[in-house]
Amino acid sequence: MDDEDLDELLDEVEKKFCRNVSIASSAARTNSNVAGKDEKDKDGQKKHGATKPKRSVNSVTEDIDALLEELQEEDCSPFPQPKAEQFPKGPHVEKRLPSQSGGRKCCPVFIGGSSVANGVGTAASKRSCDQLRCISCDFRVLMFDDCEWDSTCDYLFLRNNMPERQKLGTKLKKRRGLRAYACQCSWISTLEPTDLRDQPQLRWVCGKHQD
């Protein structure tokens, strides 16, 4: 491989990986005073070949390989890093709604007759919770105003008919002021506000009331 072939190879590397790489041949071309762009390039290449010290083909090949590896490392590196600084990570980036959990819960949980207002119960308001769910059978608790459960109501009846309100009505009796409650495994009729902490047999908890 002669000097002119090496110069042409370096020029091809410069054109393909033009990334802040300066070749001595370009400097030679800019200092040339020969008229005409094509003649100027040729004279620059000849001048570069004349002034370039002669080295073995293996040494030149190793230099070219090193240059190509350096250029490839630049291409594969994450770029540009300053853009990441324009969007810094921090608490203000991830926004959450203040009421993301949604709704409120009764504390303590009350049940009561049909004259007791439904809503979020507190120790002061004693409202009847209308968002009850049983943690034993995982059924929502149904309510029936001005009704009470017949004495023949039992677990098997609820197991087979919950949550069909029409079928459940066959075991309900009309009684003004009372309210009948039932899930798939428990039932109760009440008139006055009743704290569920006083009814340990009922595994009912308050779901979330929408604001």
Side-chain angles (χ1 to χ4, degrees):
M1 180 180 293
D2 55 17
D3 293 339
E4 291 184 357
D5 292 336
L6 292 175
D7 290 336
E8 291 178 0
L9 178 60
L10 290 174
D11 288 339
E12 292 180 1
V13 172
E14 179 185 6
K15 293 177 182 179
K16 186 174 182 180
F17 302 96
C18 185
R19 187 74 59 85
N20 299 327
V21 177
S22 176
I23 306 276
S25 61
S26 62
R29 286 196 298 269
T30 56
N31 294 329
S32 177
N33 295 324
V34 180
K37 184 176 180 181
D38 295 336
E39 291 296 328
K40 185 177 180 180
D41 292 341
K42 292 180 181 179
D43 291 343
Q45 293 175 1
K46 291 179 181 180
K47 184 177 180 181
H48 173 70
T51 58
K52 186 176 180 178
K54 293 185 177 180
R55 293 180 296 175
S56 65
V57 175
N58 292 335
S59 177
V60 175
T61 303
E62 292 176 357
D63 292 343
I64 294 175
D65 292 339
L67 177 61
L68 292 175
E69 291 178 0
E70 183 178 355
L71 293 174
Q72 290 176 354
E73 289 178 358
E74 291 180 3
D75 291 339
C76 296
S77 62
F79 181 85
Q81 293 182 355
K83 288 186 177 180
E85 298 177 358
Q86 297 177 3
F87 304 96
K89 295 181 179 179
H92 62 281
V93 175
E94 183 178 355
K95 297 181 179 180
R96 294 184 178 182
L97 297 176
S99 300
Q100 190 172 6
S101 59
R104 295 176 294 166
K105 289 187 175 182
C106 300
C107 184
V109 182
F110 287 93
I111 57 175
S114 59
S115 61
V116 179
N118 294 328
V120 180
T122 64
S125 67
K126 295 186 178 181
R127 291 189 180 92
S128 178
C129 181
D130 57 355
Q131 299 295 325
L132 294 171
R133 178 171 290 276
C134 180
I135 60 176
S136 293
C137 64
D138 198 30
F139 267 69
R140 182 172 179 174
V141 178
L142 300 183
M143 303 183 303
F144 301 88
D145 286 347
D146 297 320
C147 293
E148 66 174 346
W149 291 109
D150 188 80
S151 59
T152 60
C153 180
D154 57 14
Y155 170 80
L156 187 60
F157 170 78
L158 295 175
R159 180 78 177 179
N160 293 333
N161 295 288
M162 183 64 79
E164 300 293 333
R165 299 181 71 95
Q166 185 174 358
K167 293 181 179 179
L168 293 172
T170 59
K171 294 290 185 179
L172 288 170
K173 296 188 302 183
K174 289 290 184 179
R175 186 170 177 185
R176 188 175 182 83
L178 271 74
R179 181 179 287 151
Y181 294 82
C183 61
Q184 195 184 37
C185 61
S186 302
W187 66 100
I188 192 174
S189 301
T190 183
L191 177 64
E192 300 295 333
T194 303
D195 191 334
L196 286 184
R197 292 176 297 183
D198 299 330
Q199 302 291 331
Q201 78 279 9
L202 301 176
R203 305 296 302 278
W204 298 345
V205 296
C206 176
K208 296 174 183 178
H209 294 262
Q210 297 299 322
D211 294 334

